[in-house]
Amino acid sequence: MPAIPRKEILSRLTAMAAAGVPIIGGGAGTGLSAKAEEAGGIDLIIIYNSGRYRMAGRGSAAGLLAYGNANEIVKEMAVEVLPVVRHTPVLAGVNGTDPFALMPQFLTELKAMGFSGVQNFPTIGLFDGAMRQSFEETGMGYGLEVDMIAQAHDLDLLTTPYVFNAEEAEAMTRAGADLIVAHMGVTTGGSIGATSAKSLDDCVGEIDAIAAAARAVRGDILVLCHGGPISMPDDAAYILSRCNGCHGFYGASSAERLPAEIAIRDQIRTFKSLPNLKETKA
């Protein structure tokens, strides 16, 4: 499927937001995940390098570490996902801080492959403390992710960056982001999810601050929430009913890992609960 024009995607998403219909995006680490998500009516599909790890039974945080070239992994995954998606925009998770990426050319290549947009993942935003300071001081900071989003915007790709605070929300909006995703941390739950997270009420205040900062730059920007304790539909409903103008939810583990864990576990339990076999007669 060729890339869907940014203007067409934005027109549909903006109409959904105006009608109060939640926008739902989800990660696809396999072609089967993408097919099932599209069958469920998802609005945006994202290929993250972390999808390879989580669907292999490892935590999504593995996508932040040096277990493989994140940008090349997304291209490899694309040949599994893009051919089976029929009408849903597919976005690429791009490592904007990769010092060996020829970014404008790489983004052009992604668009030619059929990607309709990009997101900044892996992201330096998930690091803090001394490690974050080290990245920033040695030329691998979040500002490079902002630059990547600006370059993608110039190529007329849809841009939906992760932001972690009001300052980053402002920077990404100025860079031309179409939609910002307020990231609340690694998703909790399941067998390989994080166990430490802020509360849902904490998230409401943080998302509102992020949204306000973005709207101070451009009033029509769309805002979605993601991660941390917002892992299941009820969690997302709690956030959307309390935040001031949050237009939907982005899920990665929530869209494919947690549903797969639950469905496969319950299916096997059902098989294991079958009645005893009939006794074989001699």
Side-chain angles (χ1 to χ4, degrees):
M1 185 182 77
I4 300 174
R6 170 175 166 269
K7 183 178 180 180
E8 180 181 327
I9 303 169
L10 271 179
S11 176
R12 182 170 60 84
L13 298 182
T14 301
M16 290 176 63
V21 178
I23 299 165
I24 306 298
T30 68
L32 182 60
S33 293
K35 290 185 73 169
E37 288 168 356
E38 187 168 61
I42 202 164
D43 301 303
L44 299 167
I45 292 173
I46 311 93
I47 301 180
Y48 302 100
N49 76 314
S50 58
R52 168 165 291 180
Y53 300 113
R54 71 175 143 262
M55 299 310 284
R58 278 70 175 179
S60 297
L64 299 171
L65 298 176
Y67 302 143
N69 184 312
N71 288 333
E72 290 302 315
I73 288 172
V74 166
K75 285 173 57 180
E76 292 168 9
M77 294 169 68
V79 300
E80 181 177 342
V81 172
L82 288 172
V84 301
V85 176
R86 298 293 175 232
H87 56 77
T88 307
V90 180
L91 281 59
V94 175
N95 184 358
T97 64
D98 183 349
F100 300 101
L102 302 172
M103 195 53 67
Q105 293 92 323
F106 179 64
L107 294 172
T108 300
E109 180 183 4
L110 292 178
K111 188 172 185 178
M113 290 178 69
F115 284 104
S116 300
V118 299
Q119 190 173 38
N120 56 325
F121 191 89
T123 172
I124 294 300
L126 280 168
F127 291 88
D128 57 15
M131 195 71 248
R132 173 66 178 269
Q133 182 178 353
S134 177
F135 281 129
E136 295 288 347
E137 290 176 352
T138 54
M140 292 174 280
Y142 188 84
L144 292 176
E145 298 178 28
V146 177
D147 293 343
M148 182 273 290
I149 291 297
Q151 291 169 333
H153 176 74
D154 290 343
L155 290 170
D156 207 31
L157 285 160
L158 187 78
T159 52
T160 69
Y162 281 138
V163 302
F164 299 82
N165 54 50
E167 182 181 356
E168 292 170 0
E170 180 180 343
M172 283 296 191
T173 307
R174 292 191 186 281
D178 298 304
L179 181 159
I180 59 168
V181 183
H183 200 305
M184 296 293 105
V186 178
T187 302
T188 60
S191 63
I192 55 174
T195 57
S196 57
K198 57 197 77 178
S199 72
L200 287 172
D201 287 324
D202 290 337
C203 292
V204 170
E206 292 187 27
I207 293 166
D208 278 345
I210 285 170
R215 292 195 184 100
V217 177
R218 198 176 74 242
D220 64 349
I221 194 163
L222 299 171
V223 178
L224 271 63
C225 60
H226 169 82
I230 318 170
S231 61
M232 301 300 282
D234 286 349
D235 303 324
Y238 186 94
I239 295 293
L240 296 179
S241 68
R242 288 164 174 79
C243 281
N244 181 25
C246 184
H247 302 108
F249 171 75
Y250 247 38
S253 293
S254 300
E256 58 175 355
R257 174 178 65 81
L258 289 169
E261 285 191 41
I262 294 166
I264 294 171
R265 179 200 66 202
D266 290 351
Q267 180 81 333
I268 297 303
R269 284 178 176 171
T270 302
F271 276 120
K272 289 295 292 180
S273 67
L274 292 174
N276 290 343
L277 301 176
K278 287 183 63 176
E279 185 177 331
T280 303
K281 295 182 179 179

